[in-house]
């Protein structure tokens, strides 16, 4: 397996932390707005995005331990 560039790994982790924070803010705003769009369950979609970001952060943590 190729060695992982630690600088790029840190850059990715930083971007994921920013995304995580932005998604938290977006989820709070969506919940405050209530059911503003009947076509989509926006809070649920944001929750899914949060899970994807969390999964990516787990991958970064695992790469750090190698």
């Amino acid at each position: 397996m190729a060695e992982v560039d630690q600088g790029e790994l840190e850059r990715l982790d930083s971007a994921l932390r920013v995304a995580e924070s932005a998604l938290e803010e977006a989820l709070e705003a969506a919940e405050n707005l209530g059911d503003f769009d009947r076509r989509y369950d926006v809070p649920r979609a944001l929750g899914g995005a949060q899970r994807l970001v969390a999964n990516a952060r787990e991958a970064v943590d695992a790469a750090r331990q190698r």
Side-chain angles (χ1 to χ4, degrees):
M1 182 181 286
E3 187 172 322
V4 176
D5 181 320
Q6 293 299 311
E8 286 298 310
L9 200 56
E10 290 306 316
R11 181 177 168 206
L12 175 57
D13 190 46
S14 177
L16 289 169
R17 285 193 309 270
V18 170
E20 198 170 51
S21 178
L23 286 167
E24 287 173 13
E25 288 293 319
L27 182 57
E28 183 179 327
E31 288 172 345
N32 289 340
L33 287 169
D35 189 18
F36 66 93
D37 188 337
R38 297 191 189 284
R39 297 172 299 164
Y40 305 105
D41 184 345
V42 175
R44 184 174 176 201
L46 292 168
Q50 284 179 312
R51 286 187 295 279
L52 291 173
V53 170
N55 289 348
R57 291 209 59 211
E58 285 180 26
V60 168
D61 287 341
R64 281 186 180 133
Q65 295 175 7
R66 291 183 193 161

